[in-house]
């Protein structure tokens, strides 16, 4: 029976080789949709040949359809959505970039959004409407099935980026008294149950989790064995108010596939599965580079005005720090008039110091984000960075010192070499201590560290170099 | 029976509440080991009270024991390992930071390492010895059980960071002819099978994967149904030579829990599970910040000499770019002698331009890393960044222009304002085009972009400002 059935399937379903996700002529070697393919879709859209658009998109995995939307321009996106309505599955919507999704949702009538919401899991539905303004949310929820609406409103009651927002309410929880056989019979009988679960939660009479059964253990065990003998008692319980960054770190650290979410009283209210968390893990790990550069969210689909306001804020802050550095130069204006070579060389000292500071800052911010840096090893890191800075400083100082001596004179060479060592060491220390200080003050070290580190490295660079030039009697104030 | 058994367990095993991972008095609110706790361990180690060390560490989850090792100093680590030998489970070793692990392995006798290797899964065992030099590897493998040795040598034959290195050979694969009942009976009967699997791979007579069965589906289905009716035919097959970064992106994109690894001929040779991939996802996402800053691996446990050589390389490269910028200043030396205010103001133009360039570069590098940026939307991104740069440039230019006019004179204000707009636009374009160019040349855009972007922003900043000062007749060459 299995055989014949397999035959039937092979007729309409191509053999596995052709159903391998992310391969075939639409993809380049890095699993991205080929520009040629995107062009084909574009042309079909312009010529308004909806059938050929559909035929092009139909073979794609939902995640690839989502990518296609992101690669198209704004107006093309709505045309595509219209051309492939019945391919716009919940997976596609869930995989869409937040900004693209929000943009499309705003362009759709409330009824249409409500229809999509009805077929989504709670967590995806929440993601779909959480960024809309309250009025739109209400208008859409009004047209959603009552029980779905209740679940969604319940989720929206939790703070943004909290476990309560992220969790799925659909899960499998069974009493401690069950045997493996009872569980299997229960799973076969209950057709209302979700099929998206990787572990079964065993709960006591208060619905508090007491253990977790990995499905593979259940399947490897005879029917008459008690679940309490198969389940793992060590659990990671996620409180509903835990921040998603913290959740992501727990999943990484304890290599979790799914985890129980509990309310204040310890009752099991939902579950988180790793496939929802991987996006957050990469988001949280990747955002530090953007935050340190002062680019905010830094998503290429972010609306122009958001990108502008996120970035200009830091440019203006940086303007302030640059003015401080300039004030130091102005103080030495007389010295520069006597020896213009100082103006020529001073940016080198500041620039290398800035680079050295950024290096140390990046290392420190990463260590903090990964929970690797605590009071227990901060001193060790400071000493380590001091050593690295000393080694780097001496190396660079020798190079610039010799070059300057050759081009100008040995005294100026000595001044810039010494200034360079001082600035690289100061920068290295600033790179560790500034982020650590922010972290101790419960501020995100990735956000504001750069501005302060840059100010320190620039100012110190100019001050050390010009100051030493005066102190050495090379020039006078 | 289940009940009574539960009673028994509760005697030796505390109730679930006390077995929640990462909670209790050893942890701070962010799930990090408290400095006070680490101190306790330190003191117990100094006083050489091995029992109290053991009692302190025993309640910890393997991942937390690994964290403890990382928080201790080098010498303390070996003392701890000696004090808690039988707590040094394979999980602890697998969770250790690469550098800490390598360091400890090198300090252990080959026999001891071999004993650990024997109890590790292939993938963890490979991780343990892959960084050792060939001679040590051979010496250790010589003392490992033959079949384990074969599996490890087989894995080491694959390139570093490839799927072949990462995969577990332990998996569950069954023929297409099986029913759900057959599968369950097989899983119960075969006691040699791994218990660490989340999906069952269905293979044809050539051992090529034809489908995947999620365990929850198997458990929800009656015994007599054919596996071919339960399995998913859409699969993500991972070739053994696929790079780990690519693997991580596939797991994210297709929300995979596990995936089949196949050799050139398409035969199933291993599996990858998401819990091994989450570390790579966060590693790959986090490394760009470090690479862009020129901090290399940037791990706080990296040996001093590695950190030095990784960073000094970029500082020297940066020295080169700074010298180019200085040459431009030198060319305008005469102008600066006439008006020292130019020397005071020029670093502002360069510094803000540098910041703007870094912002755009961070956004572009991230988009490339996430496979969001292809030929299809590069033009759109360039135009977008041009607009942002124009908005940012005008905003900053107005501020600095007015301030300069107030402090110096309106003509100098006009010069610096115009120079600022020009430099921010040039920087914005460099921030997009430099990483894109590297990516087109199959170079990692995160690695070398900064140096080029910095050179462009600094040189352009000085040239635009000083050049306009001359052009405007404010000063003469």
């Amino acid at each position: 029976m299995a055989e014949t059935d397999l035959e039937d399937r092979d007729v309409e379903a191509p053999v596995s080789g052709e159903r391998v996700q992310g391969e075939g002529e639409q993809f380049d070697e890095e699993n991205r949709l080929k520009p040629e393919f995107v062009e084909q879709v574009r042309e079909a859209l312009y010529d308004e040949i909806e059938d050929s658009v559909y035929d092009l998109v139909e073979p794609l995995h939902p995640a690839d359809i989502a990518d296609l939307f992101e690669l198209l321009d704004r107006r093309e996106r709505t045309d595509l959505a219209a051309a492939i309505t019945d391919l716009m599955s919940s997976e596609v919507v869930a995989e869409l970039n937040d900004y693209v999704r929000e943009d499309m949702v705003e362009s759709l009538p409330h009824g249409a959004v409500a229809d999509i919401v009805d077929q989504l899991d709670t967590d995806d539905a929440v993601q779909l409407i959480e960024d809309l303004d309250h009025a739109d949310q209400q208008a859409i929820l009004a047209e959603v099935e009552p029980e779905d609406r209740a679940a969604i409103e319940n989720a929206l009651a939790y703070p943004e980026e909290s476990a309560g927002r992220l969790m799925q309410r659909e899960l499998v929880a069974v009493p401690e008294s069950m045997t493996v056989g009872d569980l299997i019979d229960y799973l076969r009988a209950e057709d209302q149950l979700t099929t998206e679960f990787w572990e079964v939660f065993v709960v006591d009479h208060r619905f508090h989790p007491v253990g977790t059964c990995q499905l593979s253990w259940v399947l490897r065990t005879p029917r008459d064995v008690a679940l309490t003998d198969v389940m793992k008692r060590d659990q990671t319980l996620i409180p509903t108010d835990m921040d998603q960054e913290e959740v992501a770190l727990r999943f990484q650290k304890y290599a979790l596939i799914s985890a129980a979410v509990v309310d204040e009283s310890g009752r099991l209210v939902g579950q988180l599965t790793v496939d929802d968390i991987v996006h957050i893990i990469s988001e949280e790990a990747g955002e530090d580079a953007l935050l340190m550069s002062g680019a905010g969210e830094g998503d290429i689909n972010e609306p122009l005005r958001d990108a502008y306001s996120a970035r200009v804020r830091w440019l203006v802050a940086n303007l302030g720090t640059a003015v401080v550095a300039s004030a130091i130069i102005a103080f030495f204006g007389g010295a520069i008039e006597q020896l213009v070579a100082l103006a020529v060389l001073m940016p080198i000292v500041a620039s290398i110091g800035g680079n050295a500071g950024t290096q140390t800052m990046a290392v420190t911010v990463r260590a903090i984000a990964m929970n690797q840096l605590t009071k227990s090893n901060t001193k060790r890191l400071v000493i380590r960075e001091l050593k690295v800075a000393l080694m780097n400083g001496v190396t660079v100082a020798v190079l610039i010192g010799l070059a300057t001596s050759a081009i100008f004179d040995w005294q100026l060479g000595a001044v810039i070499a010494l200034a360079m060592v001082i600035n690289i060491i100061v920068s290295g220390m600033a790179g560790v201590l500034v982020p650590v200080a922010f972290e101790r003050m419960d501020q995100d070290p990735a956000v504001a560290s750069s501005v302060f580190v840059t100010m320190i490295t620039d100012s110190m660079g100019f001050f050390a170099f010009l100051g030493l030039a005066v102190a050495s009697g090379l020039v006078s104030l």
Side-chain angles (χ1 to χ4, degrees), chain A:
Chain A
M1 175 269 179
E3 291 310 336
T4 59
D5 180 88
L6 178 56
E7 301 311 325
D8 310 346
R9 278 170 167 275
D10 274 345
V11 181
E12 100 275 352
V15 296
S16 66
E18 293 171 338
R19 293 284 289 267
V20 175
Q21 288 161 358
E23 299 197 357
E25 76 289 346
Q26 309 97 324
F27 296 92
D28 66 15
E29 68 294 335
E30 280 176 37
N31 182 229
R32 298 171 303 196
L33 290 166
K34 281 201 190 130
E36 299 72 23
F37 174 78
V38 179
E39 265 320 299
Q40 285 182 331
V41 176
R42 278 212 170 97
E43 281 156 19
L45 284 170
Y46 289 134
D47 311 347
E48 289 169 359
I49 321 168
E50 300 215 334
D51 293 0
S52 66
V53 174
Y54 191 95
D55 297 342
L56 281 166
V57 178
E58 193 280 334
L60 296 181
H61 180 281
D64 291 307
I65 298 181
D67 283 358
L68 177 60
F69 273 101
E70 294 170 25
L71 288 172
L72 293 172
D73 301 337
R74 267 187 95 218
R75 198 176 39 63
E76 297 167 333
R77 288 172 188 161
T78 33
D79 299 348
L80 177 60
I84 61 163
T85 33
D86 68 312
L87 292 179
M88 288 295 290
S89 65
S90 56
E91 292 94 330
V92 175
V93 179
E95 288 291 330
L96 274 178
N97 170 283
D98 292 359
Y99 295 105
V100 177
R101 190 196 298 113
E102 194 183 343
D103 191 44
M104 289 179 63
V105 169
E106 281 164 353
S107 70
L108 288 171
H110 293 150
V113 180
D115 295 343
I116 303 174
V117 166
D118 278 324
Q119 49 160 322
L120 291 173
D121 291 337
T122 318
D123 54 330
D124 295 330
V126 169
Q127 227 189 356
L128 185 64
I129 66 167
E130 66 182 346
D131 297 326
L132 299 176
D133 54 53
H134 189 71
D136 290 336
Q137 276 184 10
Q138 292 312 311
I140 290 164
L141 286 173
E143 304 188 37
V144 172
E145 308 287 336
E147 66 278 11
D148 294 352
R149 187 192 313 147
I152 294 169
E153 280 166 344
N154 175 319
L156 288 171
Y158 292 106
E160 264 188 70
E161 306 205 328
S162 71
R165 276 277 179 106
L166 293 168
M167 69 185 181
Q168 306 163 17
R169 274 140 195 78
E170 303 79 12
L171 56 79
V172 177
V174 296
E176 302 166 274
S177 54
M178 272 194 178
T179 64
V180 167
D182 301 336
L183 173 61
I184 294 177
D185 298 338
Y186 167 75
L187 290 173
R188 287 190 184 139
E190 286 295 321
D191 44 10
Q192 289 308 308
L193 278 181
T194 173
T195 51
E196 290 311 307
F197 61 99
W198 304 96
E199 290 172 309
V200 170
F201 301 108
V202 180
V203 292
D204 63 16
H205 61 284
R206 298 163 307 167
F207 218 73
H208 289 194
V210 294
T212 316
C213 284
Q214 190 168 317
L215 298 188
S216 56
W217 303 336
V218 175
L219 282 164
R220 300 280 329 264
T221 312
R223 289 183 65 91
D224 58 359
V225 177
L227 283 188
T228 48
D229 292 346
V230 189
M231 71 185 190
K232 192 158 102 294
R233 282 167 186 279
D234 291 340
Q235 319 183 67
T236 303
L237 301 180
I238 309 282
T240 50
D241 60 359
M242 184 182 276
D243 181 80
Q244 67 172 24
E245 181 167 16
E246 191 57 33
V247 173
L249 284 171
R250 298 277 175 118
F251 266 78
Q252 274 183 77
K253 180 172 176 180
Y254 299 122
L256 305 175
I257 299 298
S258 63
V261 181
V262 294
D263 62 19
E264 313 69 44
S265 71
R267 273 183 91 262
L268 176 65
V269 290
Q271 70 166 340
L272 289 166
T273 56
V274 69
D275 51 322
D276 298 323
I277 304 301
V278 283
H279 297 284
I280 297 165
I281 291 176
S282 105
E283 220 176 275
E284 297 286 343
E287 73 178 7
D288 283 351
L290 299 159
L291 291 173
M292 279 190 277
S293 75
E297 297 262 317
D299 189 299
I300 60 170
N301 298 296
E302 194 180 19
L304 207 57
R305 61 183 181 291
D306 297 5
Y308 165 68
S309 65
R311 297 193 209 170
V312 78
R313 186 180 308 126
W314 294 110
L315 292 178
V316 171
N318 197 294
L319 189 58
T321 67
V323 168
V324 173
S326 294
I328 292 174
I329 300 171
F331 176 77
F332 290 98
I336 293 170
E337 272 172 329
Q338 299 162 48
L339 183 62
V340 77
L342 296 178
V344 173
L345 296 174
M346 65 186 185
I348 299 179
V349 183
S351 160
I352 306 300
N355 192 171
T358 312
Q359 288 178 335
T360 319
M361 179 176 66
V363 171
T364 309
V365 167
R366 180 67 180 155
I368 292 172
M370 297 306 291
N371 272 350
Q372 289 179 321
L373 187 60
T374 76
K375 284 204 177 71
S376 307
N377 58 349
T378 302
K379 182 155 160 272
R380 187 169 81 225
L381 179 62
V382 173
I383 294 169
R384 176 178 183 274
E385 288 303 324
L386 199 56
K387 290 181 188 161
V388 178
L390 200 62
M391 294 160 78
N392 284 335
V394 171
T395 311
V396 176
V398 169
L399 290 172
I400 192 66
L402 292 176
T404 308
S405 309
I407 300 166
F408 300 92
D409 65 72
W410 71 267
Q411 201 180 351
L412 192 56
V415 167
I416 195 170
L418 185 52
M420 191 68 90
V421 175
I422 294 171
N423 198 30
I424 287 180
I425 289 174
V426 171
S427 306
M429 290 301 94
V432 183
L433 299 176
V434 170
V436 166
F438 274 112
E439 206 264 336
R440 298 265 166 102
M441 295 182 294
D442 286 319
Q443 301 297 313
D444 183 341
V447 174
S449 295
S450 303
V451 175
F452 288 84
V453 172
T454 311
M455 179 166 72
I456 294 169
T457 56
D458 283 359
S459 310
M460 197 49 178
F462 296 129
F463 179 76
F465 179 59
L466 299 172
L468 284 169
V470 173
S472 67
L474 196 64
V475 287
S476 60
L477 266 181

